[in-house]
Structure formats: structure tokens, C-alpha cells
Amino acid sequence: MSESSSHPRPRPRAGATQSSTAIEAIKHYILKERLQPGDPLPTESQLCEALGVSRSSVREAVRTLVALDIVTVRHGHGMFVGDVSMRPMVESLVFRGLLKPGDDYRGLRDVVQVRMTLDEALAPEVAAAWRGRTSAELDDLVRRMESLAAAGRTFSAEDREFHSRLLEPLENKLFGHLTEAFWAIHTQTVPLLGAPTAEDIATTAHAHGAMLAAAEAGDVEAYRVATREHYAPLLTVLERV
Amino acid sequence: MSESSSHPRPRPRAGATQSSTAIEAIKHYILKERLQPGDPLPTESQLCEALGVSRSSVREAVRTLVALDIVTVRHGHGMFVGDVSMRPMVESLVFRGLLKPGDDYRGLRDVVQVRMTLDEALAPEVAAAWRGRTSAELDDLVRRMESLAAAGRTFSAEDREFHSRLLEPLENKLFGHLTEAFWAIHTQTVPLLGAPTAEDIATTAHAHGAMLAAAEAGDVEAYRVATREHYAPLLTVLERV
């Protein structure tokens, strides 16, 4: 079905062209005005007038920009600059990972390997950022993961917070955002594998403690070893299925 | 401006809810039917009927899915499963990188650092994949980059092809996709920095040759050194601005 099949088309694709012009124009406006996430945008009518395009083009453009998290609409309040988060990437990647579920979960294994590679590669930065420091919050998270594991329970909320806090002191925030994005993909697809064994849960909980200890000791090599230990149970499951 | 401000709203956000239901339903349909990129989707009318939602909700859902590259519309031919590419991520990240241009190009520096970290982290995989092999195409690309550099010219097409071919033999295709995505961000934002010096161009061209030689020798450490040499001119420029 074509978008234009529902009405005669004297100028085919004019709508699509107008809408991509409107997309570029709105992005340009945000940059030119040096707007930041959360800043308000003009109304739909103001945008139509300023950009010289139809209301339906502006509306289509806004919908695309919302999908990309560049614009957000708070109903009853107006349009604002979005968070420009990793959400669109996560949605695409989760879907991509699910697209070939018969294919031995290769999509998911690829994601886990990329996460592990990034985490291992960050060992020098993490060790430098944490060397000689301690964190009561991270200690507490490790203890909670270990007691949940002892009770045979999983701990995805604690897990996410642990990784996010561990990368927080890094100057380059993109690493944290990427890791969060991959974490999200990971947790949305891992349940497809079925429940992890009690042993795997315990190994993973323990590996978090080892990662933290290595970071606080500033020990790059120990951090790499703990990172591999952290992903080992999951990679083993993924090799098996 | 709110999407709903242009008309009275007896049931606020009903449209938004219907449209996100339609998004999930279309994604579910693609998975359930085990469709692959390029496979045709039902018509708009068929989807309205099958999902029990309005035509405008289906249209809104499709627009979002097109933005995420999960659906593609070929005008006059119909709707198809999209490539589920990294394009949405690239669009978001480019915009994110541009959002704070006054901020010392930190967004761009973050991207370059992530690229470098990924490339360095892949040294063992690249060395293992290429050890003992040679590639006439890669040799030729290096020679072309070197002669362009000697003429003081840049070589972004050759550069892209080089990195893409170098990661091609890796089993995990996600690394290649990520590198391509970061490459795209990189080249869309680098021109903001102004023309590189002839010396920087020459250093970068030479580093590609060193990366290839290290890969073919299966020398992990030499590959890491060449990777750092490859990014050094750009990182120096980014530190300076």
C-alpha cells in the first residue's frame, strides 16, 4: 500500500518531500536557536508559517522527530526539544535482534559480545577514574545482588544501576549512553532464553563485586578478567541454544 | 503546541495510545510471520481491519516505524519490512553531536573516542581474521589514499570502504554496523572543524597502510598502535578547538 494510493496524485511524493523539508527545517531551527533538551518549540501554526509548508507536513515531520526522540510532545503543554536519547537505536536494535529468532539467537549474541567488548575496552578509563576511591552505593548494590542471588532471584534493576554508576565518572558520556542502550537490548531479549540457573545468577552477582574491587584497586587487568567472568554465563547459554 | 490543541479532546491521548498499540501490533505481525527486510506488508486497510484500529492510527504508526527504518514505503508499490539499519541511531547521534557546537565539540570528540576504542578493542578479532591473508582491494585502497594524500586531497569514500572491508570477515556483524554508524557521524560533523592540514592527511593515509599490514601479519599490538596513529591527527584537532 502506498501512502499516495488513497487519493489521486497530481504531484507524486510532494507530501514526502515537503515533510522531509520540514524535518530538516525544524532540526535547523533547534540548532540555530541553540535550544537544548526540554526547551519549548513554536506552535504547529507558527512552524507552518515560518517554514512555508502545510500543516500536515509539519505534523508528519513532528511525528518522525518524535520517533527519533529529537522532539517530544506533552499533550496540553506543547512541543519541546527531546532528550535525543539512545531510545531509537535501542528500539531498532531490539527489533533487529528479534528479527531472526530461529537463527540461534545470533542477534542477541552479537549484542552481548559488543557490550562485553566495550566494557573490557573501558578497563583503563574505569580503573583510572576509580583508583583509590570507594562508593557506598556501589558496595550496597553488590551486596544486594549477592543476597538476591543467594535466594535464587535475579536482579536486573540493581544490575542496570551498577553499570550506570560505574561508568558515571568517565568524562566521555557516550560510553555510558551506549552501555545503557545495549543493556536495554540485552534485558529485553534475555528473557527469551528462559530462566538462568542459580549458579549462573551467583556467578554474575559475584563478578560485579570483582569488577568493583578491581576498579577501586585501579587494576586494569583484574577489571578485564572480572568483565569476562561477568558475561561468561550468558555467553555460555547463547552458545548452547 | 499540543497535537490535541487543534481540536477538542473528549478522550485525551486516545490517539497516541491507539497509535502505539498499532506500532506494537505491526512489529508483532512482522515477527510472527517471520518476515525479513524487503518482504511486503499488508495494505493500510488490511492492517486497520486486522488490528482493529483507525486508519489514522495505522498511518501514524507507519510514520514512526518508517522513522525507525522498521518499515519502508515505496510509493505506488506498497509497504515493506525496512532494513532495520543503524540510520535512526546515526540521525540521533549526529543531531546530538551538533546540539552543543559551542561546547568545544565535545559531542564529536566523544564519538571519535568511541570509534577509536571500538577499533582498538577489535584488534584480536581483526588480527585473527586476517592473519596470513592478503587483500588486493585493501592494498589498492591504501595506495589510492596515499596518492590522494600526496596531492593534498582527502579521501572519505576510500576511508569508509577501507574500514568496512577490514571488518567484513568478522563473524559478529554488529561491530561493522556500529563502526559504519560512527563513521557516518564522524564524516558528517568533521567538516565543521575546517580543512585538515596536508600533514594530518598524510599521517591518516599512512596509518591505514599500517593497520592493514598489522592485520595481515596477525600482529595485535601493532594493530592497536596503528589504530591510535590513525585517530591521533583528529583527536589533536579536537583538543585544540
Side-chain angles (χ1 to χ4, degrees):
Chain A
M1 174 224 61
S2 149
E3 280 188 356
S4 55
S5 69
S6 50
H7 48 75
R9 34 182 198 147
R11 289 172 306 173
R13 307 211 50 184
T17 310
Q18 270 219 349
S19 138
S20 41
T21 308
I23 291 170
E24 289 314 310
I26 296 170
K27 283 165 126 183
H28 181 74
Y29 175 88
I30 293 170
L31 294 175
K32 186 176 55 94
E33 298 293 322
R34 296 177 158 268
L35 301 181
Q36 293 299 311
D39 286 348
L41 287 170
T43 64
E44 201 176 87
S45 329
Q46 286 166 341
L47 284 173
C48 293
E49 201 167 318
L51 313 178
V53 291
S54 69
R55 183 171 280 255
S56 67
S57 299
V58 168
R59 222 170 254 174
E60 279 201 18
V62 165
R63 161 116 332 231
T64 298
L65 292 167
V66 166
L68 296 174
D69 206 22
I70 289 173
V71 166
T72 183
V73 175
R74 290 188 222 136
H75 291 267
H77 291 90
M79 293 198 298
F80 301 84
V81 180
D83 288 334
V84 198
S85 70
M86 296 282 171
R87 187 184 48 70
M89 169 188 162
V90 173
E91 280 185 41
S92 281
L93 284 179
V94 167
F95 194 75
R96 198 187 172 97
L98 291 173
L99 214 51
K100 301 189 177 181
D103 189 19
D104 300 331
Y105 294 100
R106 164 164 300 184
L108 182 52
R109 200 175 63 206
D110 288 358
V111 166
V112 173
Q113 278 174 348
V114 169
R115 263 200 75 186
M116 185 172 83
T117 303
L118 267 175
D119 269 341
E120 261 199 77
L122 290 176
E125 281 78 8
V126 172
W130 283 101
R131 187 171 287 127
R133 292 172 57 194
T134 54
S135 160
E137 289 84 3
L138 280 167
D139 278 341
D140 186 49
L141 282 165
V142 169
R143 269 196 303 272
R144 270 152 59 197
M145 287 191 268
E146 282 175 342
S147 49
L148 284 162
R153 289 168 58 196
T154 56
F155 38 75
S156 64
E158 288 79 7
D159 198 322
R160 170 173 221 153
E161 200 180 334
F162 177 88
H163 290 284
S164 155
R165 279 185 185 269
L166 198 63
L167 298 186
E168 214 168 39
L170 267 58
E171 203 206 345
N172 186 337
K173 301 302 172 199
L174 192 51
F175 285 116
H177 295 314
L178 266 180
T179 306
E180 282 249 340
F182 281 112
W183 195 92
I185 294 161
H186 191 130
T187 48
Q188 283 185 57
T189 43
V190 159
L192 298 172
L193 299 173
T197 66
E199 197 191 326
D200 285 352
I201 299 174
T203 304
T204 308
H206 177 262
H208 286 103
M211 285 173 82
L212 180 58
E216 291 177 350
D219 187 335
V220 176
E221 199 40 44
Y223 186 85
R224 287 197 182 115
V225 171
T227 303
R228 286 193 291 269
E229 187 196 347
H230 170 275
Y231 289 102
L234 189 56
L235 284 172
T236 308
V237 171
L238 286 167
E239 294 298 329
R240 243 192 342 247
V241 291
Chain B
M1 173 226 59
S2 149
E3 280 189 357
S4 55
S5 69
S6 50
H7 48 75
R9 35 180 195 147
R11 290 171 305 171
R13 307 209 54 182
T17 309
Q18 269 219 348
S19 139
S20 40
T21 307
I23 291 170
E24 289 315 310
I26 296 170
K27 282 166 128 183
H28 181 73
Y29 176 88
I30 294 171
L31 295 175
K32 187 176 55 89
E33 299 291 323
R34 297 176 157 267
L35 301 182
Q36 294 298 314
D39 286 348
L41 287 169
T43 65
E44 201 176 87
S45 330
Q46 286 166 340
L47 283 172
C48 293
E49 201 167 320
L51 314 176
V53 293
S54 69
R55 183 171 280 255
S56 67
S57 299
V58 168
R59 222 170 253 175
E60 279 201 18
V62 166
R63 165 127 310 248
T64 298
L65 292 168
V66 166
L68 296 174
D69 205 21
I70 289 172
V71 166
T72 183
V73 176
R74 288 187 224 138
H75 291 267
H77 291 90
M79 293 197 298
F80 301 83
V81 179
D83 288 334
V84 198
S85 69
M86 295 282 170
R87 187 184 47 71
M89 169 187 162
V90 173
E91 279 184 40
S92 282
L93 283 179
V94 167
F95 194 75
R96 197 188 175 100
L98 291 173
L99 214 51
K100 301 187 176 183
D103 188 19
D104 299 333
Y105 294 101
R106 164 165 299 187
L108 181 53
R109 200 176 62 209
D110 288 358
V111 166
V112 173
Q113 278 174 348
V114 169
R115 263 200 76 186
M116 185 173 81
T117 304
L118 267 175
D119 270 341
E120 260 199 80
L122 290 176
E125 280 80 7
V126 172
W130 283 102
R131 186 172 289 126
R133 291 173 57 193
T134 53
S135 161
E137 289 85 3
L138 280 168
D139 279 340
D140 185 49
L141 282 167
V142 169
R143 269 198 301 272
R144 269 151 60 197
M145 287 191 269
E146 281 175 342
S147 48
L148 285 162
R153 290 167 59 197
T154 56
F155 39 76
S156 64
E158 289 79 6
D159 198 323
R160 170 173 223 154
E161 201 181 335
F162 177 88
H163 290 284
S164 156
R165 280 186 185 266
L166 199 63
L167 299 186
E168 213 167 40
L170 267 58
E171 204 206 344
N172 187 337
K173 300 303 171 200
L174 192 50
F175 286 115
H177 295 315
L178 267 178
T179 305
E180 282 247 339
F182 281 111
W183 194 91
I185 295 160
H186 190 130
T187 47
Q188 283 185 55
T189 44
V190 159
L192 298 172
L193 299 173
T197 67
E199 198 192 328
D200 284 353
I201 299 174
T203 305
T204 309
H206 176 261
H208 286 103
M211 286 174 81
L212 180 59
E216 292 178 350
D219 187 335
V220 176
E221 199 41 44
Y223 186 84
R224 288 198 181 112
V225 171
T227 303
R228 286 193 291 269
E229 186 196 347
H230 170 275
Y231 289 103
L234 189 56
L235 284 172
T236 308
V237 171
L238 287 167
E239 295 299 330
R240 243 191 341 246
V241 290

